[in-house]
Amino acid sequence: MEVAANNVIRIPTSLQMFFRYWYEFLKPFHKLTDREIDVITAFTYKRHQLSKVISDQEILDKVLMSEDTKKKIREECDITLAYFQVIMGKLRRNKVIIDNRINPRFIPNITEENGAFKLMLLFDVK
């Protein structure tokens, strides 16, 4: 069902901040802290970058959750290994990461068009 957008709001942002906004918007569904959102944002951003060169979803998820990638995420987020492991446990408990991959429910389905991403929100009012 194609729905015409009746309200358009432009949000100037970087790609990584787009993913941050995505998880902020979904906070009522995952209930993560800001630091946990930092980590899942970094994973999602890295997944998006890798998806441009890895088309096989299974391989993409394995590379994303490899020890090398996790180490880079820890360094980017400036957190210790112990704290990173606590955060990963919380992401698993909250079902943001399931079976060592990001829950597809929490990966935005976006299409890039002229340097912009379009994200449509449909509120099903009952």
Side-chain angles (χ1 to χ4, degrees):
M1 172 176 142
E2 185 67 28
V3 178
N6 56 6
N7 287 328
V8 176
I9 298 172
R10 292 190 180 275
I11 303 170
T13 188
S14 67
L15 184 57
Q16 191 157 7
M17 278 306 296
F18 166 79
F19 291 117
R20 171 89 191 177
Y21 293 148
W22 170 256
Y23 286 105
E24 288 287 339
F25 184 80
L26 294 177
K27 210 168 192 174
F29 300 102
H30 56 61
K31 298 179 179 33
L32 300 177
T33 66
D34 287 343
R35 208 61 177 121
E36 293 157 354
I37 289 175
D38 289 343
V39 172
I40 194 61
T41 294
F43 270 112
T44 307
Y45 178 65
K46 182 63 78 180
R47 185 181 192 284
H48 179 75
Q49 289 176 314
L50 290 170
S51 72
K52 292 183 181 287
V53 292
I54 303 173
S55 58
D56 185 306
Q57 296 297 309
E58 192 171 320
I59 294 171
L60 175 62
D61 288 328
K62 284 182 182 178
V63 171
L64 181 66
M65 292 298 167
S66 71
E67 288 307 312
D68 288 340
T69 303
K70 287 178 180 178
K71 182 179 178 188
K72 287 178 187 174
I73 299 284
R74 280 196 322 267
E75 290 169 358
E76 286 174 22
C77 294
D78 193 29
I79 54 178
T80 65
L81 175 59
Y83 189 43
F84 180 79
Q85 290 172 333
V86 169
I87 289 174
M88 291 298 289
K90 178 87 181 284
L91 294 174
R92 289 183 184 99
R93 277 192 304 281
N94 286 28
K95 300 194 179 348
V96 175
I97 292 179
I98 299 174
D99 297 328
N100 215 25
R101 55 182 57 159
I102 300 173
N103 183 342
R105 176 181 177 195
F106 293 109
I107 300 172
N109 185 13
I110 54 176
T111 55
E112 189 171 358
E113 188 176 297
N114 299 325
F117 290 100
K118 293 182 180 179
L119 177 66
M120 183 187 299
L121 304 172
L122 296 175
F123 291 89
D124 205 5
V125 181
K126 298 182 184 206

